Amino acid sequence: MNIENILRELNIQSENYGTAIGKRFFAAGDRIVSTSPVDGKAIASVKTTTADDYEQVMAAATEAFAQWRTMPAPARGEVVRKFGDKLRQHKAALGALVSYEMGKSLQEGLGEVQEMIDICDFAVGLSRQLYGLTMHSERPNHRMYEQWHPLGVVGIISAFNFPVAVWSWNTALAWVCGDVCVWKGSEKTPLCSIACQNIIAEILYEEGLPGGISCIVTGDYRVGEMMTKDHRVALVSATGSSRMGKIVGQTVAERFGKTLLELGGNNAMIITPSADKAITLTAAVFGAVGTAGQRCTSTRRLIIHSSVYNEYKEALTNAYKQVKIGSPLDENNHMGPLIDKDAVANYQATIDEAIKAGNHVLIEGGVLSGEGFESGCYVKPCVIEAKNNQSFVQRETFAPILYIMSYDTIEEAVAIQNGVPQGLSSTIMTNDLRESELFLSAAGSDCGIANVNIGTSGAEIGGAFGGEKETGGGRESGSDAWKIYMRRQTNTINYGKTVPLAQGIKFDL
Ligand code: NAD
């Protein structure tokens, strides 16, 4: 992979501006340097957004909304279709940049761009299906129906681990709904944001549309706060830690704004005696070590039936020996680096805490050094025997640490699975219909995602994505998730010659 060619194709310079209104890039803030966790090298620098820059963005976005909302939704869908086509052209380069700047495998980087293409296709169809209902009025000669209108400016705050897909999950839907978008990507992956902005800005320019339809801002939580406190931002869609979501949720609620929160997970797999061992092992290991455990849907807990607990301990030990760690750009490797040294310190601190608490470490972790690991961000995946109520098990550590525990009855397994503050993804491995149906029933998993015989990670865009409890309750992507990007209006039309009142109320003059 030639990183210079990739940066050139995506129009990324060695020094960049992190504020953009369509094609117009500018910024007067501090400079941040994006460093690759793959090899520890500086890739390029980006100037961050100041309060004055932000004001310019909001003025342009608000003005663009006045025009964009009047364009027919299928015509907006046509713009999104062209965006999807451009993403197809740049898939290889953008996927490689995701891999190099964030550290996930090249396959997963390309997969992320494919998800962007998929959501564009979905949104194009959706642009002709923004349906409202019609109702029968109780009053004579009246017609009643509801329709959906765009909200205005949608502010998107996103996490480092899906540096491009989460933006498109939001924008593709928001744009066909008639909203304009202002995006603050993670300060850890600013080049991915600039690359995406370059792609959509070119289309807006070619179509003669205002650049304010797509804007980016760059910086840390202080730039995020500009959006959460701003009453002009109708919806804040925030993806990140539960800690961040709690602050964002409260700030936006204070001004009666809308939020879509996609926060941390603590995802479990229940392994029953009837589970197919081969698929269970593959799903468990991919779920725990894929993306170096840095997916919101990564598998963090295995809840294993006591009759097969020892058998799985041995099988896991053998399976983990096969995991190859190294540059994510090399397709032979299963696991790349963590995002940065802070993440490594957090990983190590959690393992130390478990050891101090007297837990048995089944598969030892540790930080890797030497040739190929110069960035200092590569770690070994670790498996620890634990109890569900231990404090380090209850919180999400964004790293490849897997906790294993045993259960005796299916009801106990479900209670363990639900016994954490988060509620994103869950799965049961079973060939027993009673167990799987219980798991999917109202008395079963309390998560937004509940699977049978597949892992906890890896979702398709067609379903609504999100989770309950401290995961935030938001849903984005497929199904009817588009409704959060619109406001609902109920309309009643009287085509008679009197004004009858509802509920039989009489009022004669
Ligand atoms: P993070 O919470 O540190 O940061 C996420 C984003 O929020 C960043 O852009 C950051 O600048 C911004 N931010 C932080 N504090 C803010 C504040 N007070 N006001 C406004 N913005 C603020 O998360 P991260 O380390 O980048 O990502 C990892 C986390 O994201 C994990 O918890 C993971 O589970 C979660 N995540 C969830 C989903 C999901 O769909 N549920 C998807 C991806 C990641």
Side-chain angles (χ1 to χ4, degrees), residues 265-267 300-303 350 353-354 359 384-397 401-405 416 419-422:
N266 194 345
N267 318 296
R300 313 237 172 255
R301 298 174 293 144
L302 295 185
I303 306 163
T350 300
E353 189 181 332
N359 291 61
I384 299 173
E385 293 190 83
K387 294 262 177 289
N388 198 54
N389 61 4
Q390 291 185 286
S391 59
F392 54 86
V393 178
Q394 291 282 310
R395 67 171 191 260
E396 178 197 46
T397 298
I401 305 173
L402 180 65
Y403 304 113
I404 59 170
M405 52 201 81
I416 295 173
V420 289
Q422 310 82 353

Side-chain angles (χ1 to χ4, degrees), residues 175-210:
W175 284 329
V176 299
C177 290
D179 300 316
V180 299
C181 298
V182 177
W183 177 27
K184 192 199 90 62
S186 168
E187 59 274 35
K188 295 174 184 175
T189 50
L191 303 178
C192 283
S193 304
I194 292 172
C196 289
Q197 178 69 9
N198 280 328
I199 294 171
I200 183 65
E202 203 178 312
I203 293 162
L204 296 177
Y205 181 76
E206 284 167 3
E207 299 295 306
L209 288 165

Side-chain angles (χ1 to χ4, degrees), residues 263-311:
L263 311 174
N266 194 345
N267 318 296
M269 172 184 284
I270 298 175
I271 302 178
T272 68
S274 70
D276 180 315
K277 202 164 159 190
I279 64 169
T280 300
L281 275 178
T282 309
V285 178
F286 175 75
V289 313
T291 329
Q294 297 173 110
R295 285 190 184 204
C296 49
T297 51
S298 289
T299 309
R300 313 237 172 255
R301 298 174 293 144
L302 295 185
I303 306 163
I304 309 170
H305 192 263
S306 50
S307 66
V308 289
Y309 185 73
N310 286 334
E311 199 183 305

Side-chain angles (χ1 to χ4, degrees), residues 157-162 184-188 219-221 224-225 228 239-244 247-248 262-265 296 396 398 424 465 471 476:
I157 296 174
S158 61
F160 78 84
N161 66 327
F162 276 89
K184 192 199 90 62
S186 168
E187 59 274 35
K188 295 174 184 175
D220 62 15
Y221 73 95
E225 271 177 4
T228 57
T239 301
S241 58
S242 299
R243 189 196 56 78
M244 173 279 288
I247 301 169
V248 167
E262 297 281 350
L263 311 174
C296 49
E396 178 197 46
F398 222 47
L424 181 52
F465 182 86
T471 304
E476 63 192 5

